[in-house]
Amino acid sequence: MAPHHIVPAAYMLRNINNRFPSDGGRVPERGTRVFEYPRVNLNNNLTALLVENENVCRILTKAHLQLFGVETVAVDNGQDAINLIASGARFNLIIIDKFLGVPDGPEVTRRIRAMGVSCKIVGTSTWIFENNVDQEFLDAGVDVCVEKPMRPRWLADLVLELDGQ
């Protein structure tokens, strides 16, 4: 079986003439790095819970976290996340999508916080800056709201912060 590869976003932005729109349309020289994936070396064992109902976002975000050395559990609905926390699972980071169905992301966040969870919680959505989605999430108890898909560099910086670096 062939190994899986993550395709840097810059390669997906090429137009039909194999040029990069952000670079005035010029073709980069051979061997030029177009995209550099963040490198993360952790000092501690970190764990994350990813609560995401969209398959592509769940797979990509989990892959990023695992590449950064974070042990990651992913669930596709809020009730599974609540049950996991209620069973005693502990995490350094929880990432929750806004639109999970019933219960939605803010409600899951409220319930998790009510169980005494104090770790960093990140609220995500493709619509984070519209209709006060960010304020609703913040009121529910998330620490920060981020539009998805999350950028690898931002996620790497967050993981390093949690690691105390």
Side-chain angles (χ1 to χ4, degrees):
M1 177 180 250
H4 296 287
H5 298 282
I6 294 178
V7 178
Y11 290 107
M12 293 185 279
L13 296 176
R14 290 181 182 179
N15 68 19
I16 197 159
N17 295 321
N18 203 30
R19 301 191 189 303
F20 292 85
S22 63
D23 207 10
R26 75 171 179 80
V27 176
E29 295 178 28
R30 188 173 185 86
T32 301
R33 285 188 165 203
V34 178
F35 175 86
E36 188 166 330
Y37 198 81
R39 298 183 193 279
V40 175
N41 294 314
L42 298 178
N43 296 325
N44 302 291
N45 294 325
L46 297 179
T47 58
L49 172 60
L50 174 60
V51 189
E52 173 63 68
N53 63 340
E54 293 179 16
N55 288 335
V56 173
C57 288
R58 187 173 57 251
I59 291 166
L60 285 175
T61 304
K62 183 176 181 181
H64 290 316
L65 288 166
Q66 289 176 327
L67 285 169
F68 298 149
V70 179
E71 184 181 330
T72 306
V73 174
V75 297
D76 64 359
N77 66 75
Q79 191 58 54
D80 285 351
I82 292 166
N83 294 344
L84 197 57
I85 298 291
S87 73
R90 299 287 176 253
F91 301 95
N92 302 99
L93 171 65
I94 300 174
I95 299 173
I96 303 177
D97 181 36
K98 159 70 170 119
F99 301 105
L100 292 171
V102 179
D104 67 1
E107 180 60 26
V108 173
T109 303
R110 278 189 281 281
R111 291 186 192 179
I112 288 173
R113 288 292 192 212
M115 287 186 248
V117 173
S118 62
C119 73
K120 183 101 165 183
I121 300 180
V122 175
T124 66
S125 174
T126 52
W127 305 98
I128 206 72
F129 298 110
E130 295 181 23
N131 301 319
N132 293 326
V133 170
D134 55 339
Q135 191 58 52
E136 182 180 5
F137 247 146
L138 291 168
D139 292 346
V142 299
D143 297 293
V144 64
C145 298
V146 179
E147 191 168 24
K148 65 180 184 179
M150 285 188 281
R151 307 286 189 263
R153 176 78 262 160
W154 186 88
L155 200 52
D157 290 343
L158 175 64
V159 167
L160 290 170
E161 175 190 319
L162 292 172
D163 194 43
Q165 297 185 46

